[in-house]
Amino acid sequence: MDPKTALVRIQDGASAGSLLLARLYQGARRVADEIGRKVLGPDFEERVATLEERYRVAPDPFGLETVTARRAATVCAFFHRLYFRTEVFGIENVPKGRVLLIANHSGQVPIDAAILGSAMFFDANPPRVTRAMVDKWIPTLPFVSAFFSRVGQVVGVPENARRLLEMEELLLAFPEGTRGIAKPFSRRYQLEEFGLGFMRIAIETATPIVPVAVIGAEEQYVSLGNLSWAARALDIPVFPLVPQLAVPGGQLPLPTKYRLHFGEPMRFHGDPDDDDAVIADKVWLVRQCIQHLLAKGLSERRGVFF
Amino acid sequence: MALDPVPAQPLPGAVVVTGADGRLGRRLVRALHRTMPVIGLDHRESSGFPPDVEHHALDLASKRVRDLLKRPGIVAVVHLGVLHDPRARVERHHGWNMLTLRRLFECVEEFAIPKLVLLSSANVYGPRPDNPQLLGEDAPLLAAGRFSEIRDLVELDLFAQGFFYRNPATETVILRPSHILGTVKNAPSNYLRMKRVPTLLGFDPMMQVVHQDDVVSAIVRALSPGARGIFNISGPPPVALSQAIELLGRQTVPLPHGLARVAVDRLFRWRVTSFPAAELDFIRYVCMVDDSRARRELCYAPRHDLGATLSAVDEERWVD
């Protein structure tokens, strides 16, 4: 075969190959788009537009930025709809305007916050941005700090909570804090002590509190306990002992089924600067309400994974 | 209490401006001299003041200041003459700044001058990871904890607060503007003037900037009779650092924080850069203020939007 013919043949083969590749690529894109539509829902663009409109009118001083938030919502949609197949109950209980979501915190990694945020974006009408109060050491972490502020998360200090509620935002707080999220598996669905700060702010700003029970997060990472000496040595809040991390692929959370139970809004009155004992009584009511929602939800669920 | 909007009522006497030959001082003098007599004090020789402005080149810490303030008819002192030179020896710097302010306080008290305005800075709150997004005037001044270069300013601010409470006869105003941008030669303007702007990899805090002329207008409003106390001043709505740099059309050079800290520290010691390494915290954490009090009580409102404020750093510096 002379070199010219060979070259032509190679070219033919190559073009046929590239054609095939292009077809495959287009097919894959169609499938991806299809899945995307299914996961994101038919009204995704509308929901994004609603929020874009809101934050164009009044720019957010906390750094919420809709382009990044949209991307984050796309990733969260996968976990929300496909991976954890979240079931949402009573989301219509969340009133319009300022509101404080109080939830149980669990699961070693704060996926519960992301799923609650997804539910408020994908399942609530109209969609809302969930502003979670994050730990004070988050801003010291590169990338995480920039990302969190762009998707609307704020440092958990009372001034920020007050300002956001006055801006009629939806705030999410986990009064159990690190104690809650780092619980070992043996204490799953048992609430830790609640902090009192959220109640003072709710009373001061006349904000309704919506108790939320998150079911399914406790089983995503099974923790056998906390290595307190390792946490101290590394200067981090907790060092959970999670055996599944040693298994290849076990770094991903187990695909448990998430169930979110939203309770009726609770309104509290009185003096926000009252004694701790008085405030603690009111906090106790919220805690009992979440405990009750948890018990009800757990008794109704058929299995952890389905 | 709402006060009259600008132009402030002309005061029945002269205004003394210290640091009048600084870039901000010159703009303030120009804004004031048509409505009231202005006496400028600076250690530099005057350069191109309007002819009706009386200027004295003297050391602000010297006793000659007293002779000038003794004159009848002085109704206000605006203190802009705070020395900020990261290269100067700390003791000299600090001693001079405190001595100057003490002299001014003594004169203001002795000659019963009814108004004193000190230009402090929002930087006195300090950039910190656990800062509320917008700090109120009552927030503690924590800048000196991580950042000893700013100790002077924190002490001056606190010193003035003490004076405010001790001397109710004088209306003391402390202004704490966020990063002032313009032809001024301060750290934020110099930073944004760089061709390639170094940033910290993975950090992108929200920022507040304010145009130099908006600060001048805030000072003018602070001179209105009745205005007293501490006021945060900020400009257009906050913006992410990366977005600000993008709007200016500059390239960024993201550096890991550890590396940047060591590098800036070395470069500062070799006199290549004028930024002390501790100032890196300003592009790492938030330090923003809530200026609603100034908007309410001084009727202050920034007139320059974000684009105009940012591009002010590129204005020709000899066109004042």
Side-chain angles (χ1 to χ4, degrees), chain B:
Chain B
M1 169 189 55
L3 296 167
D4 283 345
V6 147
Q9 305 157 10
L11 295 175
V15 178
V16 172
V17 178
T18 68
D21 212 21
R23 288 178 200 273
L24 198 65
R26 261 183 270 166
R27 297 182 97 87
L28 177 66
V29 168
R30 273 165 199 278
L32 288 175
H33 78 107
R34 284 184 214 283
T35 48
M36 59 191 91
V38 177
I39 304 169
L41 308 183
D42 204 301
H43 61 276
R44 292 163 280 203
E45 282 299 329
S46 84
S47 56
F49 278 120
D52 59 342
V53 173
E54 188 183 332
H55 184 271
H56 297 271
L58 47 76
D59 182 353
L60 292 176
S62 75
K63 290 199 174 131
R64 279 180 59 205
V65 174
R66 188 171 183 279
D67 298 334
L68 278 164
L69 292 175
K70 202 154 90 182
R71 275 199 255 167
I74 290 177
V75 291
V77 176
V78 180
H79 184 46
L80 305 179
V82 178
L83 181 67
H84 178 70
D85 176 6
R87 295 266 173 230
R89 285 213 346 263
V90 175
E91 314 89 271
R92 189 187 155 264
H93 207 257
H94 182 250
W96 188 89
N97 274 331
M98 295 307 283
L99 190 65
T100 305
L101 193 60
R102 206 186 73 194
R103 281 267 150 76
L104 283 180
F105 284 162
E106 282 168 5
C107 297
V108 167
E109 194 175 354
E110 193 179 341
F111 310 126
I113 296 173
K115 174 77 83 179
L116 175 76
V117 180
L118 170 74
L119 186 70
S120 178
S121 162
N123 295 349
V124 292
Y125 299 114
R128 296 164 59 82
D130 54 351
N131 264 352
Q133 199 75 1
L134 297 173
L135 294 146
E137 281 87 355
D138 52 355
L141 311 184
L142 297 171
R146 296 170 73 94
F147 188 30
S148 61
E149 286 86 346
I150 207 169
R151 196 185 56 193
D152 275 27
L153 203 51
V154 173
E155 273 185 44
L156 291 176
D157 193 301
L158 293 172
F159 194 22
Q161 285 185 44
F163 183 78
F164 171 83
Y165 289 111
R166 273 201 318 278
N167 295 280
T170 298
E171 289 173 354
T172 307
V173 180
I174 302 170
L175 297 176
R176 293 182 185 151
S178 48
H179 299 310
I180 304 174
L181 296 188
T183 53
V184 289
K185 285 200 292 184
N186 58 4
S189 295
N190 290 344
Y191 172 72
L192 289 175
R193 245 176 240 134
M194 285 194 253
K195 281 206 187 65
R196 290 199 180 77
V197 187
T199 55
L200 296 176
L201 189 65
F203 290 99
D204 189 15
M206 296 295 282
M207 292 269 168
Q208 270 172 338
V209 290
V210 59
H211 192 279
Q212 52 190 6
D213 289 337
D214 286 330
V215 177
V216 167
S217 91
I219 297 172
V220 173
R221 279 158 198 271
L223 287 171
S224 310
R228 64 195 308 158
I230 308 170
F231 297 95
N232 291 332
I233 303 289
S234 78
V239 59
L241 174 64
S242 62
Q243 215 183 335
I245 297 172
E246 202 184 307
L247 280 171
L248 268 173
R250 305 275 207 274
Q251 277 186 321
T252 57
V253 185
L255 301 168
H257 175 251
L259 181 74
R261 199 170 175 98
V262 174
V264 173
D265 198 41
R266 288 283 154 77
L267 292 175
F268 183 75
R269 240 180 287 155
W270 296 337
R271 301 185 168 255
V272 178
T273 174
S274 60
F275 297 103
E279 283 187 5
L280 284 175
D281 275 355
F282 282 103
I283 53 171
R284 193 172 180 213
Y285 302 131
V286 284
C287 179
M288 300 203 296
V289 292
D290 178 357
D291 67 347
S292 51
R293 180 157 186 245
R295 287 174 192 249
R296 202 171 53 238
E297 293 185 20
L298 297 181
C299 295
Y300 160 80
R303 273 178 305 161
H304 295 79
D305 64 4
L306 186 63
T309 307
L310 286 169
S311 55
V313 299
D314 289 332
E315 273 168 29
E316 294 297 343
R317 284 186 231 175
W318 49 83
V319 184
D320 258 359

Side-chain angles (χ1 to χ4, degrees), chain A residues 100-147:
Chain A
L100 186 54
L101 296 186
I102 298 294
N104 58 318
H105 208 13
S106 55
Q108 314 308 324
V109 177
I111 299 174
D112 45 1
I115 296 296
L116 263 168
S118 306
M120 289 315 301
F121 178 75
F122 288 104
D123 303 321
N125 279 314
R128 300 194 64 172
V129 175
T130 305
R131 320 297 298 258
M133 309 296 286
V134 303
D135 235 318
K136 286 175 196 161
W137 54 272
I138 292 284
T140 64
L141 307 173
F143 302 106
V144 179
S145 63
F147 173 73

Side-chain angles (χ1 to χ4, degrees), chain A residues 245-277:
Chain A
L245 292 181
V247 183
Q251 291 76 23
L252 271 177
L254 298 176
T256 54
K257 189 171 173 68
Y258 264 63
R259 291 174 174 88
L260 307 179
H261 295 266
F262 291 81
E264 303 257 335
M266 306 166 85
R267 290 185 170 80
F268 293 91
H269 308 279
D271 180 5
D273 296 323
D274 233 328
D275 283 348
D276 274 1

Side-chain angles (χ1 to χ4, degrees), chain A residues 72-279:
Chain A
T74 314
V75 176
C76 283
F78 165 75
F79 284 96
H80 178 56
R81 293 252 159 88
L82 288 184
Y83 197 86
F84 293 119
R85 297 146 288 128
T86 313
E87 248 186 292
V88 179
F89 304 95
I91 200 162
E92 63 284 350
N93 285 336
V94 180
K96 286 193 174 54
R98 62 181 74 176
V99 58
L100 186 54
L101 296 186
I102 298 294
N104 58 318
H105 208 13
S106 55
Q108 314 308 324
V109 177
I111 299 174
D112 45 1
I115 296 296
L116 263 168
S118 306
M120 289 315 301
F121 178 75
F122 288 104
D123 303 321
N125 279 314
R128 300 194 64 172
V129 175
T130 305
R131 320 297 298 258
M133 309 296 286
V134 303
D135 235 318
K136 286 175 196 161
W137 54 272
I138 292 284
T140 64
L141 307 173
F143 302 106
V144 179
S145 63
F147 173 73
F148 270 26
S149 79
R150 283 181 191 180
V151 297
Q153 313 304 295
V154 295
V155 180
V157 291
E159 291 91 335
N160 283 349
R162 228 169 272 139
R163 186 171 297 277
L164 282 165
L165 292 172
E166 278 158 14
M167 288 161 59
E168 306 296 331
E169 292 278 344
L170 176 139
L171 225 66
L172 166 64
F174 298 106
E176 294 172 276
T178 316
R179 293 186 305 274
I181 194 168
K183 276 195 307 269
F185 193 66
S186 56
R187 294 219 308 275
R188 62 190 180 278
Y189 299 116
Q190 295 167 25
L191 293 175
E192 296 286 316
E193 278 305 306
F194 274 27
L196 305 182
F198 78 91
M199 181 57 74
R200 293 186 193 280
I201 288 167
I203 295 174
E204 196 185 322
T205 55
T207 304
I209 291 175
V210 173
V212 188
V214 181
I215 292 175
E218 292 277 21
E219 294 91 356
Q220 69 192 10
Y221 288 108
V222 175
S223 162
L224 299 182
N226 176 27
L227 291 183
S228 52
W229 56 268
R232 262 200 308 281
L234 293 169
D235 197 20
I236 49 175
V238 280
F239 192 100
L241 199 59
V242 183
Q244 79 190 68
L245 292 181
V247 183
Q251 291 76 23
L252 271 177
L254 298 176
T256 54
K257 189 171 173 68
Y258 264 63
R259 291 174 174 88
L260 307 179
H261 295 266
F262 291 81
E264 303 257 335
M266 306 166 85
R267 290 185 170 80
F268 293 91
H269 308 279
D271 180 5
D273 296 323
D274 233 328
D275 283 348
D276 274 1
V278 180
I279 298 290

